Amino acid sequence: MDNYLSIFNVDNFENHKNNFIKLIKEMPPNKFDNISHTDWNLHKDIKRTYLDYFLKNVYNDYAKYFCNFFKIDRMEVTNIWFQIYKKGDFHSLHTHKNANFSSVFFINLPHKNLKTKIYSLNKQELDFEVKEGSIISFPAFYKHGSLKNNYEEEKIIIAFNMNVE
């Protein structure tokens, strides 16, 4: 596995999954590009109850793990958003500027082949295992994207960018 790839599994995720889905789906409908529902481009002042839930129930354990894994003192989330991929939705390969790391928190992952595709600098697809409740973090300059969802079930993720000190 790539040394710059970390995977954190949320303890007792099955106790949180339905709450995340409910809170995410309370957000106003908003399509962006080829993604059926996201808050990526909504005004930052809109109340994001799913974010409050994430910060209260997941973030602290994740941040401790991440800082220990990369042997850093501090991290800061610079942006956070959700995405719901319905049948036919996809996200082309891209990178994230102005961030050290990007992360994907898998809330609903009905099929393993819907996991985010991540490519190293030498353009090789990284091999890793994730499941619902996993948060994968990787350098923000690694190309990544989501293949077309050809299933009836929705893929739901929370994505975020971070900078480290």
Side-chain angles (χ1 to χ4, degrees), residues 50 77 79-83 96 103-105 157-161:
Y50 78 88
V77 173
N79 200 359
I80 189 165
W81 63 98
F82 75 85
Q83 293 172 321
H96 293 198
S103 296
V104 178
F105 179 16
I157 59 123
I158 295 174
F160 53 99
N161 291 332

Side-chain angles (χ1 to χ4, degrees), residues 23-74:
L23 295 171
I24 285 170
K25 289 190 172 192
E26 287 176 355
M27 294 295 296
N30 183 53
K31 184 174 172 65
F32 180 76
D33 258 356
N34 298 299
I35 302 166
S36 287
H37 192 186
T38 183
D39 61 342
W40 164 253
N41 58 340
L42 291 179
H43 195 276
K44 297 303 176 203
D45 288 342
I46 291 177
K47 180 74 173 150
R48 288 168 166 78
T49 311
Y50 78 88
L51 176 54
D52 297 336
Y53 190 88
F54 173 77
L55 293 173
K56 180 179 178 188
N57 294 286
V58 174
Y59 180 76
N60 288 335
D61 289 340
Y62 165 75
K64 286 177 197 169
Y65 171 84
F66 180 88
C67 289
N68 184 55
F69 184 89
F70 287 110
K71 299 181 180 16
I72 57 170
D73 294 327
R74 188 166 125 31

Side-chain angles (χ1 to χ4, degrees), residues 133-163:
S134 295
I135 301 175
I136 187 163
S137 301
F138 53 93
F141 56 82
Y142 278 13
K143 286 195 175 214
H144 59 284
S146 186
L147 295 178
K148 185 176 184 179
N149 181 359
N150 290 316
Y151 303 97
E152 295 300 325
E153 302 97 334
E154 298 170 333
K155 171 184 171 181
I156 302 174
I157 59 123
I158 295 174
F160 53 99
N161 291 332
M162 300 171 297
N163 285 327

Side-chain angles (χ1 to χ4, degrees), residues 80-165:
I80 189 165
W81 63 98
F82 75 85
Q83 293 172 321
I84 298 177
Y85 294 85
K86 294 186 179 197
K87 187 173 184 176
D89 290 356
F90 65 93
H91 200 170
S92 300
L93 288 178
H94 61 284
T95 61
H96 293 198
K97 61 183 180 178
N98 302 321
N100 300 135
F101 285 88
S102 293
S103 296
V104 178
F105 179 16
F106 295 94
I107 306 296
N108 198 57
L109 187 64
H111 298 277
K112 293 283 185 190
N113 62 340
L114 289 178
K115 72 180 182 183
T116 302
K117 300 293 183 189
I118 304 171
Y119 296 88
S120 66
L121 288 177
N122 63 2
K123 299 181 181 173
Q124 288 200 291
E125 183 178 342
L126 299 180
D127 184 29
F128 59 90
E129 293 292 323
V130 292
K131 60 186 180 182
E132 291 178 349
S134 295
I135 301 175
I136 187 163
S137 301
F138 53 93
F141 56 82
Y142 278 13
K143 286 195 175 214
H144 59 284
S146 186
L147 295 178
K148 185 176 184 179
N149 181 359
N150 290 316
Y151 303 97
E152 295 300 325
E153 302 97 334
E154 298 170 333
K155 171 184 171 181
I156 302 174
I157 59 123
I158 295 174
F160 53 99
N161 291 332
M162 300 171 297
N163 285 327
V164 300
E165 291 181 12

